Amino acid sequence: MDAITGLMNGFSVALQPQNLFWAFVGTFMGTAIGVLPGIGPALTIALLLPVTVYIEPTAAFIMFAGILYGAMYGGSTTSILLNTPGESGAMMTALEGNKMARQGRGAAALCTAAIGSFVAGTIGTLGITFLAPPIAELAFIFKPQDYFALMLLAFLSVSVVMGTSKVRGFIALFLGLSLGVVGIDKQTGLQRLTFGVPDLMDGVEMTVVLVSLFAIGETLYVASRFGFQKPNLNPLAGGIWMTKEDWKRSWKPWLRGTLFGFPIGALPAGGAEIPTFLSYTVERSLTKHPEEFGHGAIEGVAGPEAANNAAAAGILVPLLTLGLPTSATAAILLAAFQNYGLQPGPLLFINSADLVWGLIASLYVGNLMLLVLNLPLAGLWVRLLFIPRPYLYAGILIFSLVGIWGVSNSWVDLAMMAGVGVLGYTMRVYDFPIAPVLIGLILGPMAEVQMRRALAVGQGDPMVFVSTPLSAVLVAVSALILIVPALLQWRRTRKIDMPDETAGV
């Protein structure tokens, strides 16, 4: 009853005209920023911090929440239309969404992304309202070996499932892991793979790799394959709305993606990458149309996009209840709270109840605003594909360069952007999957930290990785993911060879 009372008071705050204005500004800015490669919600909120000191705290945080949700959706637009994710959480959306756009079904992909974002964001906000304390307590249940086993599962799954070859998948994964260990070792203080370049001591910026592999790699690939010829597709051939079949195939992935995104987003080191990947993997295994995956399956857009937005809601749970940031954006929001002299945690709900509940209520309002804002624009966004390719991809290249330079002001990042872009082009030509590189880069350092902690707890005993029921189950599932496809392939090969052997006898 306290939660309901608090939420009603929150709506009385969020629905005030000035707060509705700031919610609209946040969602609009977030959507526009999510479209730009390399500029995410964390950077935007950080840049706005000095300006918002003149705005009342409640209004400022309502705007920040709108930026967070808007950027999560906006990243899907360029993922689907241009194969250029604006945010790391949107990289799984690009796998099927861009294929749909190439088939003239970009509007349907954008619609399922918008509705999935609304459904997941609303359910996630309900979770913040009623389930924040118990979900936040999961952080105390998970031990280092559990986290490591979860990340091992992600590594093996992404390498086996993605692409046409397991060998290519593992090569891509190890490339990502190699990029992830660049920089100073946090435990020993030694430099690793920096080659005497001071700018590499802080590690490889994930945004640089994300933009390079997708935007630069895609630009080089299109330029080398298609040149100045006009695209032979009509971006609106599939209509500007979802068909009845699309609705039927999307609603279950929306719910499943939400179930992945919200709890994992609430965990430390959870983020949006793991749930979006898990959602894609599950949808690929459950679909009744397996032949469409890799060629434009709508389930591969609906599930990950719902998981992405649910995870965005999830990161607010430990931030508001424990003062624990679980992502870069949450860390910037924590700095914003402290900038106003506020400390997130259990006392925040008592001392600043109007602000907290107003913020939570504004998430419902912002979600609705995003739906109303983006659904009518789906057909308009798709018309981007009518722009001649030389102008379109030149624009992508310029936005990418400006985005990376704006993040770091480093010539090393620009040089790395060029090198990784060529690598992305090569991987595209030889059919190497991109996702394992990003998973290795993002989760590799986290997995290393959790592995070291687990070994320290177990005093070097490797059996510590199966010492808890959860870690043992996750390791067993990881082994099955590695072994079962090989056994199935062996059985298929044997069945094909058996008639020949019989004929020979």
Side-chain angles (χ1 to χ4, degrees):
M1 190 64 189
D2 289 340
I4 295 174
T5 304
L7 186 62
M8 291 301 103
N9 292 335
F11 274 115
S12 69
V13 173
L15 294 177
Q16 293 174 9
Q18 69 272 23
N19 289 333
L20 285 174
F21 169 76
W22 289 116
F24 176 78
V25 169
T27 53
F28 183 80
M29 285 179 61
T31 304
I33 287 155
V35 168
L36 300 176
I39 304 177
L43 175 62
T44 308
I45 294 170
L47 291 174
L48 287 172
L49 274 181
V51 180
T52 53
V53 293
Y54 302 105
I55 302 174
E56 195 249 333
T58 303
F61 282 104
I62 285 174
M63 182 177 71
F64 290 155
I67 290 172
L68 173 63
Y69 270 26
M72 289 296 179
Y73 173 76
S76 68
T77 303
T78 46
S79 294
I80 291 168
L81 299 182
L82 306 174
N83 199 28
T84 307
E87 267 289 295
S88 60
M91 64 184 178
M92 302 308 295
T93 307
L95 298 178
E96 301 298 328
N98 187 248
K99 299 290 194 308
M100 289 182 67
R102 290 174 187 272
Q103 296 168 12
R105 303 192 65 234
L110 288 173
C111 286
T112 194
I115 298 170
S117 296
F118 173 75
V119 170
T122 302
I123 295 174
T125 308
L126 284 169
I128 296 174
T129 307
F130 298 104
L131 304 176
I135 289 182
E137 287 176 9
L138 287 175
F140 300 108
I141 297 172
F142 266 56
K143 296 181 179 178
Q145 52 267 45
D146 299 325
Y147 279 118
F148 178 75
L150 179 64
M151 292 173 191
L152 178 66
L153 175 62
F155 289 146
L156 291 175
S157 301
V158 78
S159 302
V160 170
V161 171
M162 305 303 298
T164 56
S165 163
K166 296 180 185 65
V167 175
R168 290 191 183 101
F170 279 112
I171 291 173
L173 175 66
F174 284 118
L175 279 172
L177 291 172
S178 300
L179 290 171
V181 298
V182 173
I184 295 178
D185 182 358
K186 293 179 181 178
Q187 185 163 326
T188 63
L190 298 175
Q191 296 183 31
R192 301 187 296 190
L193 302 178
T194 58
F195 305 105
V197 180
D199 291 59
L200 292 178
M201 291 172 65
D202 289 332
V204 176
E205 181 65 39
M206 188 268 294
T207 307
V208 174
V209 178
L210 177 69
V211 172
S212 303
L213 286 178
F214 281 96
I216 308 302
E218 179 75 8
T219 300
L220 293 175
Y221 182 80
V222 170
S224 66
R225 290 296 186 274
F226 302 104
F228 287 86
Q229 71 180 37
K230 293 182 179 179
N232 58 357
L233 62 87
N234 177 1
L236 295 173
I240 61 171
W241 189 242
M242 294 169 62
T243 64
K244 184 177 180 180
E245 180 67 16
D246 290 337
W247 281 92
K248 185 178 178 182
R249 292 173 58 180
S250 294
W251 72 271
K252 289 181 181 177
W254 290 336
L255 298 178
R256 285 192 289 260
T258 304
L259 292 178
F260 281 119
F262 184 72
I264 295 177
L267 295 174
E273 294 82 10
I274 295 177
T276 53
F277 158 70
L278 289 176
S279 174
Y280 181 85
T281 307
V282 168
E283 296 310 325
R284 186 166 182 161
S285 62
L286 294 179
T287 183
K288 296 179 181 178
H289 307 275
E291 71 285 352
E292 291 188 20
F293 268 79
H295 304 283
I298 196 168
E299 296 93 337
V301 178
E305 195 56 29
N308 185 24
N309 270 60
I315 67 169
L316 295 175
V317 174
L319 177 66
L320 295 175
T321 58
L322 300 174
L324 179 67
T326 59
S327 70
T329 307
I332 299 296
L333 286 172
L334 177 61
F337 273 107
Q338 294 171 345
N339 203 32
Y340 283 102
L342 302 169
Q343 181 56 48
L347 293 177
L348 189 68
F349 284 80
I350 299 171
N351 299 332
S352 304
D354 284 349
L355 188 152
V356 174
W357 288 109
L359 172 63
I360 292 172
S362 75
L363 296 177
Y364 293 97
V365 177
N367 251 319
L368 185 60
M369 283 184 176
L370 272 174
L371 187 69
V372 172
L373 187 66
N374 286 294
L375 272 184
L377 293 178
L380 179 64
W381 285 122
V382 172
R383 284 177 170 79
L384 285 173
L385 298 180
F386 282 113
I387 300 172
R389 276 188 173 137
Y391 304 129
L392 182 62
Y393 284 97
I396 293 172
L397 198 59
I398 290 169
F399 273 123
S400 301
L401 289 168
V402 170
I404 295 302
W405 181 256
V407 169
S408 61
N409 290 328
S410 168
W411 67 266
V412 173
D413 280 353
L414 291 181
M416 182 172 290
M417 184 179 179
V420 177
V422 172
L423 175 66
Y425 164 72
T426 307
M427 293 178 70
R428 183 80 190 272
V429 170
Y430 291 103
D431 199 24
F432 281 79
I434 299 293
V437 179
L438 298 172
I439 293 291
L441 173 63
I442 295 165
L443 298 185
M446 300 179 191
E448 181 186 13
V449 169
Q450 301 298 342
M451 181 183 72
R452 284 178 162 176
R453 287 177 181 170
L455 288 172
V457 170
Q459 298 181 339
D461 183 4
M463 293 303 293
V464 71
F465 295 115
V466 291
S467 59
T468 66
L470 181 58
S471 65
V473 169
L474 291 173
V475 169
V477 172
S478 301
L480 288 174
I481 286 175
L482 195 60
I483 295 168
V484 169
L487 289 176
L488 292 175
Q489 180 66 33
W490 175 75
R491 283 192 63 186
R492 280 195 294 266
T493 306
R494 192 179 176 195
K495 284 181 179 180
I496 293 171
D497 292 342
M498 279 183 66
D500 297 334
E501 293 173 4
T502 306
V505 174

